[in-house]
Amino acid sequence: MNNPLPPLSPIPFTAFSNHGPPLFFLHANGYPPACYKPFLRQFTDYHVRAMHLRPLWPGQSPDGLRDWKPLTDDFLRFLDEQNAGRVLAVGHSLGAITILRAALKNPERFRAIVLIDPVLFPPRRIIAWNIVRALGLGYKTHPLIRGTLKRRPQFDDMDQVFRAYRQREVFRFFSDESLRAYIEGILRPRADGGREASPIGGYELAYSPEWEARIYYTGIWRDLELWRGLRSLRVPTLFVRGAETDTFWASAADLVKRKQPAVRVETVERSTHLLPLERPEEVAKIVLSFLKEIP
């Protein structure tokens, strides 16, 4: 069984503008839509709706998730709920893979797709991960799971979080504005009443470490089918990658072009896997230029 719980209806989303043609955005694992405010506010000519992926739904357990396919089913159902016809879709990381799988499954639903640093590793990496999983070592060996499960879940003060995060290497390309948007996006007031109700702190993570770790564990192992499907991809597609990404490697980008020469691949300098948060204006300019060419 792939679905942890019966689907939520209607699926929640955040709107970033309310006029123009519809544009649907899907976020990365651990990065709620609010983290992308500096990026998504560039799309002033579109009605942007950022669907909340299943880890942000209330009452959902990660335990039953076996792979990422239910997330694609959720997205297609969300498009139905929104009475969307053929749409433009932009996704980052996990969100990008969710959109790619949806476009391969139901290409007639999409005018064009933009995949920002998708979690699309070369086939040899996928095979290696499947061996690790078969040996029961996935949770022990994944480079991100252990740190995720140790993440501090509660905080007292957003300014204190900003000062601490400002020193971290992972945020080296973030402007102060983007870092603050990220912090405000990942935190929410504590459900127990916050500062007055608890000495621990007034904020908690909106995206639980357990869900984030489960997404890491259940990813990529089914993705050989994506490589096979790329040959038949007929939806206009733009890939955007960070020059210093550790996720969508240059070798993977080259293989994408060999399997499907019709797609476009752009690389943004001085950026990593987090490029829409690091270079929001530059990445948006690339995406908007591509979208303007779509009939």
Side-chain angles (χ1 to χ4, degrees):
M1 180 179 178
N2 278 323
N3 288 288
L5 286 176
L8 186 67
S9 185
I11 294 174
F13 68 96
T14 300
F16 285 87
S17 64
N18 291 303
H19 65 276
L23 185 150
F24 293 88
F25 178 79
L26 291 186
H27 59 85
N29 184 30
Y31 290 76
C35 296
Y36 296 87
K37 284 182 180 178
F39 173 65
L40 293 176
R41 75 181 180 200
Q42 309 297 318
F43 295 81
T44 54
D45 293 333
Y46 293 88
H47 183 181
V48 179
R49 280 166 274 186
M51 181 187 122
H52 295 196
L53 292 175
R54 193 173 280 245
L56 291 173
W57 298 1
Q60 291 285 310
S61 167
D63 295 340
L65 193 73
R66 300 290 179 258
D67 56 49
W68 291 358
K69 289 187 176 184
L71 307 181
T72 291
D73 294 338
D74 293 339
F75 179 51
L76 291 170
R77 187 166 61 85
F78 177 69
L79 295 181
D80 290 337
E81 290 179 355
Q82 296 297 311
N83 296 313
R86 294 178 65 239
V87 304
L88 303 172
V90 179
H92 175 218
S93 188
L94 164 66
I97 289 296
T98 301
I99 289 171
L100 175 59
R101 189 168 268 117
L104 290 171
K105 183 176 182 179
N106 292 131
E108 71 282 357
R109 303 297 302 270
F110 298 92
R111 291 173 55 200
I113 60 175
V114 178
L115 311 177
I116 303 174
D117 227 75
V119 186
L120 186 59
F121 287 100
R124 67 181 185 277
R125 176 67 178 267
I126 298 170
I127 293 170
W129 176 241
N130 286 351
I131 293 172
V132 169
R133 282 174 52 97
L135 294 173
L137 300 175
Y139 268 87
K140 294 180 180 179
T141 61
H142 193 288
L144 298 176
I145 287 177
R146 183 174 299 180
T148 294
L149 291 175
K150 290 182 178 179
R151 180 170 297 166
R152 180 179 174 182
Q154 299 165 334
F155 301 86
D156 182 49
D157 176 292
M158 282 195 182
D159 287 336
Q160 184 180 38
V161 178
F162 175 82
R163 291 191 295 271
Y165 282 16
R166 184 71 283 178
Q167 307 304 315
R168 294 186 181 181
E169 177 69 10
V170 68
F171 301 120
R172 66 189 181 280
F173 293 139
F174 279 54
S175 67
D176 285 354
E177 179 189 14
S178 289
L179 183 58
R180 288 192 183 279
Y182 164 70
I183 292 168
E184 291 172 2
I186 64 171
L187 298 180
R188 65 186 178 193
R190 288 193 60 186
D192 63 4
R195 192 184 305 246
E196 294 182 359
S198 170
I200 296 176
Y203 300 93
E204 63 185 6
L205 292 174
Y207 199 112
S208 80
E210 292 76 21
W211 254 116
E212 188 173 349
R214 188 66 182 177
I215 292 292
Y216 288 137
Y217 175 73
T218 55
I220 89 170
W221 73 280
R222 302 289 294 271
D223 287 357
L224 289 176
E225 66 189 29
L226 295 180
W227 286 109
R228 292 190 292 268
L230 275 173
R231 295 187 185 278
S232 61
L233 180 65
R234 295 296 178 263
V235 178
T237 302
L238 169 67
F239 286 77
V240 188
R241 60 181 298 274
E244 300 182 32
T245 180
D246 58 359
T247 304
F248 186 45
W249 302 347
S251 60
D254 291 342
L255 183 57
V256 164
K257 287 292 293 182
R258 291 199 298 272
K259 286 190 174 288
Q260 183 46 267
V263 306
R264 185 181 304 179
V265 179
E266 300 280 355
T267 299
V268 178
E269 297 300 320
R270 289 181 57 78
S271 63
T272 70
H273 181 59
L274 303 179
L275 68 162
L277 289 79
E278 297 166 330
R279 298 279 184 266
E281 294 88 358
E282 185 175 351
V283 175
K285 184 177 179 180
I286 293 170
V287 175
L288 287 167
S289 177
F290 170 75
L291 294 180
K292 287 177 181 177
E293 300 174 8
I294 303 302

